[in-house]
Amino acid sequence: MSANRPAAVVVLAAGEGTRMKSATPKVLHELCGRSLVGHVLAAARELEPENLVVVVGHAREKVVAHLGEIDPGVRTAVQAEQNGTGHAVRMGLEELGGGVDGTVVVVCGDTPLLTGETLKNLAATHTTAGNAVTVLTAEVPDATGYGRIVRDGVSGAVTAIVEHKDADGSQLAIREINSGVFAFDGQLLADALGKVRTDNSQGEEYLTDVLGILREAGHRVGASIAGDHREIAGINNRVQLAEARRILNDRLLTQAMLAGVSIIDPASTWVDVTVTFERDAIVHPGTQLQGATHLAEGAEVGPNSRLNDTRVGAGARVDNTVANNAEVGPQANVGPFAYLRPGTCIGLKAKVGTYVETKNATIGEGTKIPHLSYVGDATIGEYSNIGAASVFVNYDGKDKHHTTIGSHCRTGSDNMFVAPVTIGDGAYTAAGSVITKDVPPGSLAVARGQQRNIEGWVARKRPGSAAAKAAEVASREPEGEA
Ligand code: UD1
Ligand code: MG
């Protein structure tokens, strides 16, 4: 166990986030595959706190349900009315039985770019210096709206945090701001919160007042300046949400590139935090990789593809494709313009080509479905070839049925496989067949009407037409050529 392991992390997530103008509570908005609060919890988890408490208030049923899904180990504390950040922390500590021995870290639920690394540094600084409180600060280009860090003119020590709305002219000029992230001594925090007043412009209990209270009582107050101010940015509206997404996405792509992945156009490539790569994978422009998507060594994806929860095998090629919950085998070839739906499993060196849709389909090694087909609820063996424009007719209007095609089959173009139906190993089917009965191994199935040519029909029924003239010309002996 690390010496800096905090007794608790308290995440403040009770606010409404009115500026999002949304039916969804602010902390549930998404970037790079996680909610805002999900990012904060992931960073907090890196501290391995003994307790993790999220203070909820606005739309708390939704927030609590979401927390249960993403991190069932978190505790929640209800702040029924949003009376300020100090009040919120008080509610959080109450959930833990009041004062806590050891370090309590407080973070806001709307700062998704904050890293576990920064939190660990803050906790380490706090413990090493023996502070009562350590605040994470940052120098920002525009301090509007933030609490200002007021330092002693001589010693440089932090003396207070003054909220923007309460600041005077010289304080407004300060560019060092309060990130909203703190490490506290748990017992001193509980004592000080009891002394916080509400005589400020917002009539709220400010957490930031704890700093001045502790300092006046003679305790050590410290600050840790974040290396990158963008990390502490709070999300208040959708413009800031998009900016944060851009920053986080760039961070993820940079990590991938440094680990040996080629991202041809970082500006048009979007990835979730949960996506993983092996070296020499290549991602072409206009590609979105989501969820548990994994690109194995040398896999090549894009351009213009969206893959969700999809595993792409080593050396496979996926071009202009939408895939959801699919598995693409090593050296397989997918697209352009394929749609792989859940339960698709494509074997080694297999091909799912242009305008092919698959669902709940296992496609064996080396099998090819090159063009214009729907393959739903099917198992196809190895090294078979499915003719162009084939449909696996899986739905009778009520139930779904399965089609099984063996290995080394050659099915003709424009076949309908009316499920349930089985085609044996090495069988062939004729083009244009509607296959309703099982085909034994090695047979040729022909299931279509016989062709009948009615000669001279056009000349009789459409006399004088362009077609009739063309036919007339074609029936003459070619002239001048021998
Ligand atoms: C707060 C800080 C400010 C800092 C800024 C950083 C205070 C008084 N001010 O200001 O110094 O620069 O964050 O972004 O702490 N919340 C609750 N319950 C409440 C009020 C807020 O849970 O009663 C939560 C919000 O959901 C949010 C966080 O606390 O996640 C911060 O609240 P917000 O209203 O955004 O505070 P700021 O005015 O931004
Ligand atoms: Mg804020």
Side-chain angles (χ1 to χ4, degrees):
M1 194 207 290
S2 150
N4 298 322
R5 187 179 168 190
V9 174
V10 178
V11 178
L12 306 186
E16 177 178 2
T18 21
R19 285 165 287 176
M20 295 302 281
K21 306 213 164 104
S22 175
T24 303
K26 174 165 85 174
V27 293
L28 300 193
H29 279 260
E30 185 270 352
L31 69 161
C32 300
R34 251 185 212 152
S35 61
L36 295 181
V37 70
H39 285 288
V40 173
L41 291 178
R45 279 289 179 210
E46 289 189 39
L47 290 171
E48 300 177 36
E50 285 165 43
N51 294 286
L52 185 44
V53 185
V54 180
V55 181
V56 296
H58 178 80
R60 55 184 172 270
E61 305 75 20
K62 282 187 191 169
V63 178
V64 169
H66 173 71
L67 295 173
E69 278 168 31
I70 62 165
D71 189 344
V74 302
R75 300 167 71 164
T76 52
V78 174
Q79 185 196 26
E81 275 177 56
Q82 281 73 69
N83 295 329
T85 48
H87 180 251
V89 172
R90 222 150 44 79
M91 299 301 106
L93 290 184
E94 262 178 32
E95 168 66 24
L96 299 172
V100 177
D101 286 328
T103 301
V104 173
V105 172
V106 175
V107 291
C108 295
D110 63 353
T111 52
L113 301 179
L114 193 65
T115 61
E117 173 105 15
T118 296
L119 288 180
K120 282 186 203 162
N121 288 340
L122 177 73
T125 304
H126 178 76
T127 315
T128 312
N131 289 339
V133 53
T134 311
V135 54
L136 180 68
T137 72
E139 297 256 7
V140 294
D142 177 8
T144 308
Y146 286 107
R148 305 300 205 277
I149 302 294
V150 180
R151 288 179 181 268
D152 183 283
V154 181
S155 69
V158 178
T159 54
I161 300 174
V162 179
E163 288 307 294
H164 183 104
K165 286 178 181 158
D166 303 298
D168 64 27
S170 67
Q171 289 165 338
L172 284 176
I174 298 171
R175 298 222 333 271
E176 186 183 6
I177 58 99
N178 167 29
S179 69
V181 182
F182 300 86
F184 292 100
D185 174 278
Q187 293 296 350
L188 294 176
L189 170 63
D191 292 346
L193 281 173
K195 296 176 187 145
V196 167
R197 299 203 311 263
T198 55
D199 53 347
N200 50 56
S201 65
Q202 301 185 79
E204 291 183 350
E205 293 179 33
Y206 288 171
L207 176 63
T208 45
D209 285 354
V210 166
L211 198 127
I213 292 169
L214 290 175
R215 184 183 155 81
E216 272 157 38
H219 296 289
R220 285 184 72 92
V221 170
S224 172
I225 304 180
D228 182 354
H229 71 83
R230 295 177 310 173
E231 217 188 279
I232 55 92
I235 307 301
N236 293 314
N237 59 44
R238 297 188 200 228
V239 176
Q240 292 169 338
L241 179 64
E243 286 165 357
R245 186 178 290 117
R246 178 82 264 170
I247 291 169
L248 184 53
N249 193 63
D250 284 346
R251 211 192 261 171
L252 297 168
L253 293 179
T254 299
Q255 277 168 14
M257 288 187 279
L258 293 176
V261 178
S262 285
I263 307 289
I264 305 302
D265 179 25
S268 70
T269 301
W270 295 89
V271 294
D272 283 356
V273 285
T274 38
V275 169
T276 50
F277 301 91
E278 291 173 32
R279 65 179 194 171
D280 289 324
I282 302 174
V283 184
H284 291 280
T287 295
Q288 219 177 335
L289 304 174
Q290 303 172 315
T293 293
H294 174 77
L295 307 193
E297 187 164 339
E300 204 171 339
V301 174
N304 310 320
S305 296
R306 176 160 56 87
L307 272 48
N308 181 46
D309 291 336
T310 291
R311 298 185 68 81
V312 182
R317 182 76 183 91
V318 177
D319 186 355
N320 279 275
T321 288
V322 174
N324 188 14
N325 220 319
E327 176 139 14
V328 177
Q331 296 171 65
N333 200 326
V334 177
F337 315 115
Y339 181 23
L340 311 182
R341 291 168 50 201
T344 296
C345 183
I346 301 170
L348 173 75
K349 293 182 182 169
K351 178 182 175 75
V352 169
T354 310
Y355 301 114
V356 175
E357 175 179 339
T358 61
K359 184 214 74 172
N360 190 23
T362 301
I363 296 153
E365 176 180 330
T367 283
K368 292 184 174 152
I369 309 162
H371 333 272
L372 299 154
S373 294
Y374 172 62
V375 182
D377 298 305
T379 307
I380 309 177
E382 297 180 354
Y383 296 97
S384 286
N385 192 86
I386 306 301
S390 293
V391 174
F392 287 60
V393 183
N394 59 333
Y395 187 44
D396 60 13
K398 186 165 156 281
D399 298 310
K400 299 280 167 71
H401 303 281
H402 198 86
T403 296
T404 303
I405 296 186
S407 295
H408 300 282
C409 294
R410 296 284 178 271
T411 68
S413 291
D414 198 24
N415 275 195
M416 302 287 128
F417 301 105
V418 183
V421 72
T422 298
I423 298 185
D425 290 343
Y428 278 53
T429 61
S433 288
V434 178
I435 304 293
T436 55
K437 291 185 225 153
D438 289 355
V439 180
S443 312
L444 167 68
V446 185
R448 64 182 185 212
Q450 288 284 339
Q451 182 170 334
R452 189 160 71 100
N453 295 338
I454 304 169
E455 293 195 6
W457 186 92
V458 172
R460 288 196 303 280
K461 299 291 189 186
R462 302 286 184 271
S465 68
K469 282 175 193 153
E472 160 72 19
V473 171
S475 66
R476 273 190 236 132
E477 210 72 59
E479 286 167 22
E481 292 169 36

